Amino acid sequence: MTDSAFELALAVAALGYGLSVLLIGWRGLIGPNSLDRLVALDALVSIVQGGLAVYMVWTADTSVAYAMVAVALLGYLSSVSVARFRTPDARRPSPTADGAVPAGTGGAGAGGTVPGGTGGAGAARPAKAARTLESDEADRTGLWQQDSGVRMPTKDDVRKDERQ
């Protein structure tokens, strides 16, 4: 491969990385939920690593390899920590074609009412109760128990064992 073809290939790669940074940055900014933003952050870390690799090849400077290792480590640790402590996003109701919020989706928050919907024109209906961490945990445990057929001990079972 000639030098000019090599330079052109590296320029195209750098241009591709620059465009992908813009697209991933846009996804990170407007992502509909925090999981989309987390995926955009992971992709951005990968793009930065690839960009550093292109720079290292272009300049024949291997000292950038240390920065690549640091970026990889920070990207991994940030993804794991965000995934570990991420809380579920609030669910937003999707309006129907006529602009009304569907019944049972809770458009006004806990305990409120939402006019319209499927309860008749202008009828008020109660909104869904707010979900809590305990109810989400109970849902996950219940689903796991149904799938595996194994019953997990509950807090009451543990208390009974402590009393005996």
Side-chain angles (χ1 to χ4, degrees):
M1 182 182 270
T2 64
D3 285 340
S4 63
F6 184 68
E7 293 286 326
L8 179 65
L10 288 175
V12 168
L15 183 65
Y17 277 118
L19 180 63
S20 61
V21 164
L22 292 175
L23 292 174
I24 291 296
W26 179 254
R27 172 52 58 192
L29 289 175
I30 67 158
N33 60 29
S34 62
L35 192 57
D36 284 336
R37 290 182 177 95
L38 177 62
V39 170
L41 179 67
D42 282 340
L44 189 62
V45 167
S46 299
I47 291 168
V48 166
Q49 286 179 310
L52 287 173
V54 168
Y55 175 79
M56 188 167 56
V57 170
W58 201 324
T59 62
D61 180 17
T62 58
S63 65
V64 180
Y66 298 116
M68 288 178 63
V69 171
V71 167
L73 181 63
L74 288 175
Y76 171 74
L77 290 176
S78 66
S79 297
V80 168
S81 62
V82 168
R84 170 71 176 97
F85 297 110
R86 181 182 173 266
T87 59
D89 292 329
R91 296 183 183 146
R92 295 183 189 145
S94 301
T96 58
D98 62 352
V101 177
T105 58
T113 59
V114 178
T118 59
R125 60 176 169 71
K128 244 183 171 178
R131 294 184 61 92
T132 62
L133 181 60
E134 291 80 16
S135 66
D136 285 343
E137 186 175 331
D139 289 347
R140 284 194 301 270
T141 305
L143 289 174
W144 184 83
Q145 289 173 359
Q146 291 170 4
D147 290 344
S148 67
V150 176
R151 183 180 172 278
M152 292 289 295
T154 62
K155 292 179 182 178
D156 294 331
D157 293 337
V158 173
R159 289 183 188 128
K160 286 179 189 174
D161 289 342
E162 289 174 356
R163 286 186 221 138
Q164 293 176 355

